Amino acid sequence: MKLTIVTIFPEWFTSPFAEGMIRVARENGRLDVGIVNLRTFTDDAHQTVDDSPFGGGPGMIMKLEPIDRALKSLALPAKGERPAGLKVALTSPQGPRFTQATAIAWAALEHLVLVCGRYKGVDERVATHLADEEFSLGDFVLSGGEPAALCVVDAVARLQPEVVGTFDSVESDSFHSGLLDCDYYTRPADYAGWTVPDVLLSGHHAQIAKARREEALRRTLERRPDLLESAELSGEDRKALGRL
């Protein structure tokens, strides 16, 4: 998978991309990450990427021209003509929330381009004419799109083949299956009187699987009941929820 980030702070990504799952994905050849410095596509000595908004008001707006030039430098087809495996996404607090379902869909792309917004906002013509969609991490505002882009890169990197040692671990993660994950424990089984549930020590794999599924359902019901509206639930799942 190829992933390109358009940003005014290219060095912001240097350290994170050398660590963790992103590093593994790059070393395995599963993720080809490129950084585009937006300031190199300006036409003034100060490399200005922002300007005051038409109509007045506080804050500065990211300019349209540098972003358009940066995207053209990637030789991308115009919006509306792009193949299914190519997507240009703009970070924006007004975009739909980035979810695990989004991560799964984007991880299957051949090329994902992330445009990092900054300042008060981005000239609306970027969203209208250049980006395929906008996205947000949640109902809060960051100082810029770089942290959001990094989260996306990490989320899609760990979904690439041969990046996580055991992919079953990924498939059981919270949100991947539509539910929150269950609780987990490791040695020692008893620490200061804090014990591990007996079923996990029983060695009975079917009972352990059932207990973990019921715990995932309980946690989702208590903490994120909204997820149950779209989760794929079996008849046994619904019976378990009825007992909770």
Side-chain angles (χ1 to χ4, degrees), residues 14-236:
T14 302
S15 178
F17 282 4
E19 305 292 344
M21 290 296 101
I22 300 176
R23 175 187 61 79
V24 174
R26 296 177 71 191
E27 290 180 351
N28 288 353
R30 296 298 184 178
L31 191 65
D32 178 11
V33 181
I35 306 294
V36 175
N37 186 350
L38 191 61
R39 293 192 186 276
T40 63
F41 296 93
T42 57
D43 52 13
D44 68 306
H46 299 288
Q47 296 185 316
T48 305
V49 295
D50 61 313
D51 205 342
S52 55
F54 281 125
M60 302 295 282
I61 306 301
M62 290 191 73
K63 294 164 63 68
L64 167 65
E65 303 101 318
I67 297 176
D68 185 34
R69 293 168 187 162
L71 294 177
K72 285 179 177 176
S73 76
L74 301 174
L76 304 178
K79 181 177 179 178
E81 301 176 3
R82 293 168 186 154
L86 169 63
K87 184 180 294 294
V88 177
L90 171 67
T91 65
S92 168
Q94 300 181 29
R97 185 175 298 174
F98 180 80
T99 65
Q100 185 64 19
T102 313
I104 294 170
W106 287 7
L109 295 171
E110 295 179 11
H111 189 185
L112 173 62
V113 180
L114 301 175
V115 180
C116 299
R118 274 271 162 180
Y119 308 116
K120 180 67 174 176
V122 180
D123 189 302
E124 184 64 19
R125 289 167 289 186
V126 173
T128 303
H129 300 288
L130 300 179
D132 298 304
E133 60 183 278
E134 300 172 79
F135 74 93
S136 169
L137 289 188
D139 298 339
F140 54 92
V141 178
L142 298 167
S143 59
E146 286 76 16
L150 178 58
C151 289
V152 171
V153 177
D154 189 86
V156 301
R158 65 192 304 277
L159 294 174
Q160 300 304 311
E162 301 176 2
V163 173
V164 175
T166 304
F167 197 75
D168 288 348
S169 174
V170 172
E171 292 181 318
S172 64
D173 284 341
S174 292
F175 306 113
H176 196 98
S177 64
L179 302 176
L180 298 183
D181 203 357
C182 64
D183 51 358
Y184 292 97
Y185 301 84
T186 189
R187 296 177 180 85
D190 187 328
Y191 178 77
W194 306 336
T195 58
V196 174
D198 291 339
V199 66
L200 299 179
L201 306 176
S202 68
H204 196 300
H205 297 299
Q207 290 182 1
I208 292 172
K210 180 180 179 181
R212 283 177 167 168
R213 183 65 177 182
E214 290 184 355
E215 176 62 15
L217 290 166
R218 184 189 67 78
R219 287 188 167 214
T220 304
L221 178 63
E222 292 180 354
R223 305 180 186 188
R224 289 293 304 277
D226 56 296
L227 295 176
L228 294 172
E229 298 176 6
S230 56
E232 294 184 9
L233 302 176
S234 67
E236 287 300 315

